[in-house]
Amino acid sequence: MPKRATIKDVARLAEVSVTTVSLILNHKGDRFSKETISHVRTAQESLGYVPDYFAQGMTIKATKTLGVLVPDITNPFFSQFSQGIEEVASRAGFIPLIYNVGTQDTQSTNYLQELVRRTVDGFIIAAPNVGLDIIHQYLDQNKVPYLLMDQSASDNGDRIIAGDFEGGQKATQYLLDHHHRKVAVILPRQHSNNIDKRLKGYQKAMINAGITVDSDWLIEHELTKKGGYEAAAEVIESGVSAVFAINDEMAIGLYRGLQERGKRVPEDISVIGYDNIEWCQYVQPQLTTIEQPIIELGRVATGLLLNRLKTPDAKPQTIKMATKLVERASVIDYQEVE
Amino acid sequence: MPKRATIKDVARLAEVSVTTVSLILNHKGDRFSKETISHVRTAQESLGYVPDYFAQGMTIKATKTLGVLVPDITNPFFSQFSQGIEEVASRAGFIPLIYNVGTQDTQSTNYLQELVRRTVDGFIIAAPNVGLDIIHQYLDQNKVPYLLMDQSASDNGDRIIAGDFEGGQKATQYLLDHHHRKVAVILPRQHSNNIDKRLKGYQKAMINAGITVDSDWLIEHELTKKGGYEAAAEVIESGVSAVFAINDEMAIGLYRGLQERGKRVPEDISVIGYDNIEWCQYVQPQLTTIEQPIIELGRVATGLLLNRLKTPDAKPQTIKMATKLVERASVIDYQEVE
């Protein structure tokens, strides 16, 4: 076991008792002189002494970490989201620790158990594949607060409504407004709550326009650049003139697949994405998309969680975030093929 | 304070003593019947009871987390790096927790102290701005093992040499082999050890080719897509025909700046990057670059750290990783301007 500096070492160096050190380091040192306090703190710093919670029992629980569970840290959405969390968390003295859940279910139980055990104070669960049963067992039962995103919770927790239905509708409507009628959507087959709402928004816009959605227009591939890339063949085969990619990563992957097959965006096929990750501006043509206020989402999620930590019995809050169309260069009017 | 299920609750539900529960949950329950063990575990699960380390003192220290400090989680390099860490860590029963240090120094002390306090077992420090003094104070003094990347450690720790000098030289030589002579490098002014070695590799290649590096060819901007984007004006003004971008993010940012100013890559200006992040294949033209085996780096770093945890007194290890030129479409032969 690693040998760390102990409270006894600090006491010895500062020439005071262990109790004195303990009281001073626990901010209960009012009774001591400024000089004594200074000696103790200097001794602590020079030894690099860090209180070992296990040894000192229940005296302090410095409750200052937030567990952030994300499904895919390589998706820029989640790294930007984490930035927003970090901003608010650090101002409140909390350290956000990011755990990449990935897409497998098997890891879930283990890490959640381990993190709760280490008394992480609260969780932002942005990974849709962390099961509600597990959340219930380890978090609800132990009264550990969490902010659940991208899932329907069965209970009344704090919620952020990210506007996915309207967003999906807005994206599709934008294509329809450009006179496209054969409009495909590319998305993952197994998909989260938020993505399902975007799909429903697409369907609503199509229904409203009196267009029957062809089954060939629902093109399913994984929620990554690679997935979008692989969707290109089917997109071309379907004969659509425009595509709503369910997130920007898929849109950008699709770009590559289309370009490799000699199809130009937007001249041959218009593409609209969703999220407005930074990369939208660094591809050609710059990607038209529906903006989610990603960093703001991170801030708001953290704010809700911190409030819940402070007042556990407060009424559940729901915050609605707005999406916004960001017009760039990847969508043009439908052109008849000459 | 949140009310969690206690060991007493488990004991009550399983109809055994607290000591019995404690022994069984600490894997010291050999003396008990299968039936008793089963009752206790069932009671634990149904209550979602998680042992509170603070309350139970020194009995178990389940030492299974690794702290991973990265400078910028939005750089795909670090998210891919984390994937490699996760692979090896999870197989060994460790949970990697990512902390995004960002570029500010002020946060460093706080979080390192907090993480050590929570007995994170070891650290992979890939953030070059975490000062050696802080590392010494909180980690060395407390004998917490760590794997330091992208810094020269003053002591003999385990090391990964990522081949940056040869990589920078290789990148530059590739441009020179394409008959470019006026070759710029874009990089951040404040730069880490690894980046400095890449710069020196560039300088060596230029010296070997008998070319005097013009001061206008060292173009300094932040190590991000935005930095590369902002470098475009100076790149064009410098009159160079080729650019070595110190990482792919900068290269891709540069692309956008050049394209917005009517310069084509590679026809007007050739560009080579560094890292081989996934995005290289999703931009136009696909980016020629020097590949770092990013995910492998994550795996190797974790392997070294885990070994160090197992055998703290083993000799320091140095592992050298190779870089590789990945030819794509962003570099062509120097053309005289007509």
Side-chain angles (χ1 to χ4, degrees):
Chain A
M1 202 96 96
K3 179 175 178 294
R4 297 166 202 247
T6 69
I7 198 172
K8 285 195 191 130
D9 297 326
V10 179
R12 197 175 306 127
L13 186 62
E15 299 181 327
V16 298
S17 72
V18 167
T19 309
T20 301
V21 174
S22 179
L23 287 164
I24 288 175
L25 296 187
N26 291 343
H27 308 289
K28 292 175 185 152
D30 293 343
R31 75 188 71 176
F32 299 105
S33 69
K34 277 193 161 53
E35 201 179 39
T36 304
I37 294 175
S38 168
H39 282 160
V40 169
R41 292 208 172 281
T42 304
Q44 174 195 22
E45 279 201 26
S46 62
L47 290 174
Y49 168 67
V50 174
D52 184 338
Y53 281 126
F54 298 171
Q56 78 180 4
M58 295 281 294
T59 330
I60 339 163
K61 254 173 168 166
T63 49
K64 287 186 171 289
T65 57
L66 298 179
V68 182
L69 309 182
V70 302
D72 178 9
I73 196 65
T74 67
N75 179 346
F77 178 92
F78 291 103
S79 47
Q80 287 176 224
F81 177 66
S82 302
Q83 276 187 299
I85 294 176
E86 165 70 36
E87 255 178 66
V88 174
S90 62
R91 270 202 316 257
F94 281 76
I95 298 169
L97 297 169
I98 302 165
Y99 183 72
N100 188 37
V101 173
T103 42
Q104 292 147 304
D105 277 322
T106 51
Q107 300 170 276
S108 324
T109 316
N110 237 0
Y111 63 72
L112 209 51
Q113 184 170 13
E114 192 58 41
L115 291 174
V116 171
R117 181 183 275 183
R118 285 170 184 280
T119 62
V120 166
D121 293 276
F123 289 86
I124 291 172
I125 303 176
N129 53 332
V130 175
L132 286 176
D133 52 338
I134 288 170
I135 291 173
H136 182 65
Q137 186 172 358
Y138 291 105
L139 302 185
D140 289 326
Q141 292 253 38
N142 288 293
K143 302 257 195 318
V144 179
Y146 56 90
L147 196 288
L148 195 61
M149 303 191 64
D150 200 4
Q151 289 196 49
S152 301
S154 46
D155 52 47
N156 296 338
D158 299 315
R159 304 197 57 197
I160 300 179
I161 302 197
D164 292 277
F165 177 81
E166 294 83 9
Q169 199 175 6
K170 223 183 299 199
T172 311
Q173 193 57 48
Y174 185 73
L175 298 174
L176 298 172
D177 290 344
H178 282 80
H179 314 298
H180 296 279
R181 293 202 47 95
K182 292 180 165 182
V183 175
V185 58
I186 63 175
L187 78 174
R189 179 167 2 124
Q190 297 223 354
H191 55 250
S192 70
N193 210 278
N194 284 0
I195 285 176
D196 193 60
K197 289 194 221 145
R198 285 173 219 174
L199 172 63
K200 291 188 156 57
Y202 156 89
Q203 290 166 332
K204 187 75 157 89
M206 297 295 270
I207 287 173
N208 285 356
I211 303 169
T212 305
V213 173
D214 196 305
S215 60
D216 286 347
W217 300 351
L218 289 183
I219 297 170
E220 294 175 325
H221 280 271
E222 67 181 51
L223 188 63
T224 59
K225 293 187 289 301
K226 180 157 163 286
Y229 175 61
E230 289 170 345
E234 287 156 77
V235 164
I236 294 168
E237 228 182 277
S238 71
V240 298
S241 62
V243 180
F244 168 31
I246 218 80
N247 78 355
D248 292 334
E249 280 226 300
M250 286 195 89
I252 292 169
L254 177 63
Y255 265 28
R256 178 188 169 198
L258 292 176
Q259 285 157 352
E260 281 183 9
R261 287 170 173 74
K263 293 297 185 188
R264 301 158 303 168
V265 178
E267 295 87 345
D268 298 319
I269 298 183
S270 286
V271 178
I272 187 167
Y274 200 104
D275 278 343
N276 198 29
I277 60 178
E278 221 192 352
W279 292 87
C280 291
Q281 301 169 77
Y282 292 90
V283 292
Q284 281 276 342
Q286 293 191 18
L287 183 65
T288 297
T289 188
I290 301 296
E291 175 183 78
Q292 295 211 71
I294 308 174
I295 296 180
E296 187 61 14
L297 267 168
R299 294 186 194 118
V300 169
T302 308
L304 280 174
L305 181 60
L306 293 178
N307 284 343
R308 181 62 47 198
L309 273 160
K310 237 191 304 187
T311 45
D313 298 316
K315 265 174 47 188
Q317 279 204 76
T318 296
I319 294 186
K320 224 177 136 127
M321 311 277 298
T323 60
K324 194 177 88 172
L325 170 72
V326 180
E327 291 187 79
R328 293 201 177 93
S330 59
V331 176
I332 54 171
D333 279 354
Y334 171 63
Q335 331 257 16
E336 284 280 1
V337 178
E338 286 126 42
Chain B
M1 202 98 98
K3 178 173 178 296
R4 300 167 201 248
T6 69
I7 197 172
K8 285 197 193 129
D9 297 325
V10 179
R12 197 175 306 128
L13 186 61
E15 299 180 326
V16 298
S17 72
V18 166
T19 309
T20 301
V21 174
S22 179
L23 287 164
I24 288 174
L25 296 187
N26 292 343
H27 308 288
K28 292 175 184 149
D30 293 344
R31 74 187 73 175
F32 300 104
S33 69
K34 276 190 161 56
E35 201 178 40
T36 304
I37 293 176
S38 168
H39 283 159
V40 168
R41 293 207 172 282
T42 304
Q44 175 196 22
E45 279 200 27
S46 62
L47 289 174
Y49 168 68
V50 174
D52 184 339
Y53 282 127
F54 296 171
Q56 79 180 4
M58 297 280 293
T59 332
I60 339 163
K61 257 175 171 166
T63 49
K64 285 183 173 294
T65 58
L66 298 178
V68 181
L69 309 182
V70 302
D72 178 6
I73 195 67
T74 67
N75 180 346
F77 178 93
F78 292 103
S79 46
Q80 288 176 222
F81 178 66
S82 302
Q83 276 188 297
I85 295 176
E86 164 67 29
E87 265 187 49
V88 174
S90 61
R91 270 203 316 259
F94 281 76
I95 297 168
L97 297 169
I98 304 165
Y99 182 71
N100 189 36
V101 174
T103 42
Q104 293 147 301
D105 278 320
T106 52
Q107 300 170 275
S108 324
T109 315
N110 237 1
Y111 63 73
L112 210 51
Q113 186 172 9
E114 192 59 40
L115 291 174
V116 171
R117 182 183 274 181
R118 283 169 185 281
T119 61
V120 166
D121 293 276
F123 289 85
I124 292 171
I125 303 177
N129 54 332
V130 176
L132 285 176
D133 52 340
I134 289 171
I135 291 173
H136 183 64
Q137 186 173 358
Y138 291 105
L139 301 186
D140 288 327
Q141 293 251 36
N142 288 295
K143 302 257 192 321
V144 179
Y146 56 91
L147 195 290
L148 194 61
M149 303 193 61
D150 200 4
Q151 288 198 49
S152 301
S154 45
D155 53 46
N156 295 341
D158 299 314
R159 302 198 59 197
I160 299 179
I161 302 197
D164 292 276
F165 178 81
E166 294 81 10
Q169 199 174 7
K170 224 183 297 194
T172 310
Q173 193 57 49
Y174 186 73
L175 298 174
L176 297 172
D177 290 346
H178 281 80
H179 313 298
H180 296 279
R181 292 202 46 95
K182 292 182 166 182
V183 176
V185 57
I186 64 174
L187 79 174
R189 181 171 353 130
Q190 297 223 353
H191 54 251
S192 69
N193 209 278
N194 284 0
I195 284 175
D196 194 61
K197 291 193 219 145
R198 285 173 219 175
L199 173 63
K200 291 188 156 57
Y202 157 86
Q203 289 167 331
K204 187 72 156 89
M206 296 297 269
I207 285 172
N208 285 356
I211 302 170
T212 306
V213 174
D214 196 305
S215 61
D216 286 347
W217 300 352
L218 290 182
I219 297 170
E220 294 173 329
H221 281 270
E222 67 181 53
L223 187 63
T224 59
K225 293 188 288 300
K226 180 158 164 285
Y229 175 59
E230 289 170 347
E234 285 155 80
V235 163
I236 293 169
E237 226 183 277
S238 71
V240 298
S241 61
V243 180
F244 168 31
I246 218 82
N247 79 354
D248 292 335
E249 280 228 298
M250 286 194 90
I252 292 169
L254 177 63
Y255 265 28
R256 178 188 169 198
L258 292 175
Q259 286 157 353
E260 282 183 8
R261 288 171 172 73
K263 295 296 185 188
R264 299 159 302 166
V265 178
E267 295 86 346
D268 300 320
I269 297 182
S270 287
V271 179
I272 186 167
Y274 200 105
D275 278 343
N276 197 29
I277 59 177
E278 219 193 352
W279 292 89
C280 292
Q281 301 169 77
Y282 292 91
V283 291
Q284 283 274 341
Q286 293 191 19
L287 182 65
T288 296
T289 188
I290 301 298
E291 174 182 79
Q292 294 211 70
I294 309 174
I295 297 182
E296 187 61 15
L297 267 168
R299 294 188 194 117
V300 168
T302 309
L304 281 174
L305 181 60
L306 293 178
N307 284 343
R308 180 65 44 198
L309 273 160
K310 237 192 305 189
T311 45
D313 299 317
K315 265 175 46 190
Q317 279 204 74
T318 296
I319 294 186
K320 223 177 139 123
M321 311 276 299
T323 60
K324 193 177 90 175
L325 171 71
V326 180
E327 293 187 78
R328 294 202 176 93
S330 59
V331 176
I332 56 172
D333 280 355
Y334 171 64
Q335 331 256 18
E336 285 280 0
V337 177
E338 283 127 43

